[in-house]
Amino acid sequence: MTTRDFLNFVLAKAGNRSRRIRFMAVANGLCMGVLMYSLSVAMEDFAADNRMSVRGLLLFCLSLVAYYVTQARGSRDVADAAFAALGELEISAADKLRRIDYPTFKDMDPGVVYAALGGDKAAVVLASRYLIPMLSGAAISLLAAVYLAFISPAGIALIAVSLLLVMFLRTAIHKEIMARADRDRAAVDDFTSSLRDIVNGFTEIKMNSARSDELFTRQIIPAARKKAERMLGTERLHTRAMVMEQATLFIPLAMTVFVLPLVSVVTTTDLVRIVSVTLVTIWPAYVLVQFGPAAYAANLALSRLRELDSMLDKTLPDAVPKAGGPAAPELAAFSRIDCETLEFIYPAQPNQAPFVVRVQDFSLGRGELVIMKGGNGSGKTTFMRLLAGLIPPTSGELRLDGRQIAAVGNEAYRSLFSVIFPDFHLFKGLYGMAPDPALVTKWLDRLELSGKVAVTDGRFSTTDLSSGQRKRLALLTAILEGRQIILMDEVAADFDAHFREFFYLELLPELHAEGRTIFAISHDDRYYRKIGARILAMDEGRLVRAKRSTRKKP
């Protein structure tokens, strides 16, 4: 990861502006050269007649304005290109992330995703800020080197050697800093994780002071001290590197004044010129020294994004539509979904046999109301995810109206379903749909959410609700989606007694009467016989019985 890598990253996105960036960088360096020359003219004129040099002042003012304009314009173009390229990389990775298949997503390390997409991009900002000064500094350093080479070849050789030594030392220290930064990040993550126990387990620690005290003394305090110790060590290294690079930039001056007269014949006038030019080029040289580590850190952040983007490319199914392309067609209707033998095998755990979900001779007909029960870990949710097309079976297959799902298309097949799983995510709006406002109002009333939540321009006024109300809002979203099949996994678990009874005795029959196909996982067996549902049961990954309940008369 070199300076050239970052420069190419910016210029590749700059397009037609890449020439202007190069031009502004060179022009900025020339302007700095003219600034240096104007000071020399002023000193020569003052030496000649002991008066302020008007031409030197005019040249200084003009070159200073030009220096400002070229650096400001060039830096703006660099920032525009860098941020556009960074944004495109982030959008590309996020787009591919949403389009990968469900099992691949579940196997991914969330930390890798957050580090790449949500990580700190300050290094990219800093490197962008330094790019034009670095290029112009390189230009002025080259001009100064040419100028000094005519005055004293030995002098320019000494200065070049000393600057290369400074850059070598700075790069070596920066590599150590970057290595420490990775360890620092792990310590910060440990501390953050320990704080989550306070936030997520606040109720539990308020109920048990002994737990609270031990959590604090055994977990939080050590994690905080380790983080502080690691970060302090790195900051000391940063400080040492900064002081060293500032101090060592005076080495070229020392080489000129103390060493050059010993190795080469040089006049006093030439020595003064060399010292003057060296003094003026210290700042450009400092920027050059700074840019290398900044570009290294920026490339590191960008490489994480590129690696994520590349990894997602390899796992992304070719059939999944790209962002902005035509959406997968939704199926107009279906008659039934069948499977003869559907099997999903979980990876074996140490000293345990693999858990197998196997369902034989299952069918779901259009307009059915089906309830599945079973103990925790019996495979109910896994079967529902198989039915929804979220995870592929290890063996066997689902058929839609006699057709293989591959022939129908996974996206099209999933368009049949609205789903509410226990780990549902409640979005802030009705994304992907534009329901009739009257229908929204109707279902807000039916779900007893009127006065608690309003929907304006497709967005909820709030999602800061109780767990039961959030479930009802998720149910509202599923209903308004208008899909033919609604899958619900323990939706009523967080409802109060009043709304739970309403859900089973009124809401499910009402949705069923609309022609919806409903498949629900539930433990509320006291309602089964009252709603005329087909009852399924899962036990140890097997569908053990299936029967239809009879609706009781009131």
Side-chain angles (χ1 to χ4, degrees):
M1 300 178 188
T2 63
T3 296
R4 181 178 295 178
D5 292 330
F6 183 75
L7 180 60
N8 290 338
F9 168 76
V10 172
L11 294 180
K13 183 57 187 174
N16 295 332
R17 291 177 297 183
S18 62
R19 291 182 180 178
R20 191 165 64 199
I21 290 172
R22 290 187 178 95
F23 172 78
M24 291 298 173
V26 173
N28 191 246
L30 291 173
C31 289
M32 185 180 289
V34 175
L35 273 170
M36 294 166 53
Y37 176 69
S38 69
L39 297 174
S40 177
V41 168
M43 287 189 292
E44 289 177 3
D45 288 354
F46 184 80
D49 57 13
N50 205 31
R51 290 195 306 176
M52 183 189 76
S53 172
V54 175
R55 64 171 185 152
L57 178 61
L58 181 61
L59 189 59
F60 173 83
C61 292
L62 290 174
S63 58
L64 182 62
V65 171
Y67 174 81
Y68 172 82
V69 170
T70 53
Q71 185 163 139
R73 184 64 179 270
S75 295
R76 187 182 70 182
D77 286 341
V78 167
D80 289 348
F83 278 82
L86 179 62
E88 284 188 7
L89 260 178
E90 291 174 327
I91 290 171
S92 173
D95 177 42
K96 291 170 184 175
L97 180 65
R98 74 183 178 89
R99 293 189 289 122
I100 62 174
D101 58 46
Y102 187 83
T104 301
F105 173 77
K106 282 298 186 182
D107 287 341
M108 291 181 66
D109 180 1
V112 173
V113 177
Y114 285 127
L117 287 174
D120 187 11
K121 306 299 190 305
V124 179
V125 178
L126 184 62
S128 302
R129 202 176 293 158
Y130 272 127
L131 186 57
I132 290 295
M134 184 278 297
L135 292 174
S136 65
I140 191 59
S141 297
L142 180 62
L143 289 173
V146 172
Y147 174 72
L148 292 177
F150 280 106
I151 299 175
S152 173
I156 189 59
L158 284 172
I159 292 171
V161 168
S162 59
L163 284 175
L164 286 174
L165 177 62
V166 171
M167 295 180 73
F168 174 78
L169 291 174
R170 180 63 177 92
T171 301
I173 293 178
H174 182 73
K175 287 182 178 179
E176 185 181 349
I177 289 173
M178 294 305 296
R180 290 185 65 100
D182 288 335
R183 296 195 295 270
D184 293 349
R185 198 173 295 115
V188 171
D189 290 345
D190 286 344
F191 178 64
T192 303
S193 177
S194 68
L195 291 180
R196 288 196 190 104
D197 279 340
I198 291 182
V199 175
N200 298 333
F202 190 78
T203 300
E204 288 76 8
I205 65 175
K206 293 307 291 183
M207 296 299 296
N208 188 326
S209 59
R211 177 188 290 131
S212 175
D213 291 344
E214 188 167 359
L215 172 70
F216 186 67
T217 56
R218 291 186 58 185
Q219 182 169 309
I220 294 174
I221 290 178
R225 287 175 176 168
K226 182 178 179 181
K227 176 179 75 77
E229 181 182 346
R230 287 278 175 85
M231 295 187 71
L232 178 60
T234 303
E235 182 57 30
R236 286 173 176 169
L237 191 60
H238 266 295
T239 302
R240 191 162 71 247
M242 182 182 68
V243 173
M244 186 212 70
E245 66 194 21
Q246 291 175 354
T248 51
L249 282 173
F250 290 99
I251 292 177
L253 287 173
M255 299 287 280
T256 301
V257 174
F258 300 115
V259 179
L260 183 58
L262 299 177
V263 299
S264 176
V265 177
V266 60
T267 66
T268 303
T269 301
D270 286 343
L271 188 61
V272 170
R273 287 176 179 172
I274 295 171
V275 170
S276 299
V277 171
T278 305
L279 276 171
V280 175
T281 54
I282 280 180
W283 167 245
Y286 180 72
V287 173
L288 284 171
V289 171
Q290 283 284 336
F291 185 74
Y296 179 89
N299 280 321
L300 191 61
L302 292 171
S303 69
R304 290 194 186 110
L305 264 176
R306 290 194 185 101
E307 287 169 6
L308 176 64
D309 193 67
S310 177
M311 183 269 290
L312 292 172
D313 262 336
K314 294 175 183 177
T315 60
L316 191 64
D318 294 334
V320 178
K322 294 184 178 181
E330 293 194 4
L331 298 178
F334 83 104
S335 294
R336 62 188 305 106
I337 300 171
D338 297 285
C339 72
E340 292 183 0
T341 300
L342 198 67
E343 187 173 83
F344 183 83
I345 304 175
Y346 280 95
Q349 300 299 318
N351 302 319
Q352 291 184 3
F355 183 75
V356 180
V357 176
R358 183 180 294 115
V359 176
Q360 295 177 306
D361 298 324
F362 169 81
S363 66
L364 178 67
R366 180 180 177 84
E368 277 199 279
L369 172 56
V370 179
I371 291 181
M372 176 176 278
K373 62 181 181 178
N376 292 334
S378 62
K380 304 185 303 300
T381 298
T382 298
F383 174 63
M384 184 173 278
R385 293 185 194 278
L386 286 166
L387 181 62
L390 280 173
I391 55 177
T394 306
S395 63
E397 63 181 11
L398 291 163
R399 288 182 175 270
L400 179 67
D401 297 332
R403 300 172 64 195
Q404 293 180 333
I405 301 304
V408 175
N410 288 327
E411 291 288 305
Y413 174 72
R414 285 196 289 265
S415 72
L416 291 171
F417 300 92
S418 292
V419 298
I420 310 174
F421 288 107
D423 57 352
F424 74 97
H425 176 75
L426 189 58
F427 294 96
K428 295 182 179 179
L430 298 170
Y431 300 132
M433 63 187 89
D436 183 344
L439 195 62
V440 175
T441 300
K442 168 195 168 182
W443 283 109
L444 282 172
D445 288 339
R446 292 292 286 151
L447 296 172
E448 299 180 11
L449 290 171
S450 295
K452 299 179 177 67
V453 182
V455 179
T456 307
D457 296 328
R459 292 182 65 85
F460 299 129
S461 59
T462 183
T463 57
D464 186 16
L465 303 165
S466 68
S467 58
Q469 290 168 342
R470 286 173 60 82
K471 276 280 183 71
R472 281 187 257 165
L473 203 54
L475 184 56
L476 170 75
T477 302
I479 293 171
L480 294 177
E481 222 174 352
R483 300 285 179 86
Q484 299 177 54
I485 307 172
I486 301 179
L487 304 181
M488 309 181 205
D489 190 348
E490 295 292 355
V491 167
D494 294 320
F495 294 160
D496 58 36
H498 155 72
F499 196 84
R500 183 174 300 188
E501 184 167 308
F502 166 78
F503 172 76
Y504 284 108
L505 301 185
E506 296 188 39
L507 189 59
L508 286 185
E510 182 177 345
L511 292 171
H512 187 218
E514 287 184 355
R516 314 257 191 157
T517 305
I518 299 172
F519 187 104
I521 293 174
S522 170
H523 289 101
D524 294 320
D525 52 4
R526 64 184 177 278
Y527 297 107
Y528 295 167
R529 297 179 60 196
K530 298 179 181 180
I531 58 177
R534 177 158 65 106
I535 310 302
L536 306 178
M538 289 285 285
D539 183 43
E540 294 295 326
R542 304 293 187 274
L543 191 62
V544 293
R545 66 179 182 273
K547 66 179 182 179
R548 180 172 296 280
S549 67
T550 55
R551 187 191 296 268
K552 273 190 171 183
K553 292 183 179 180

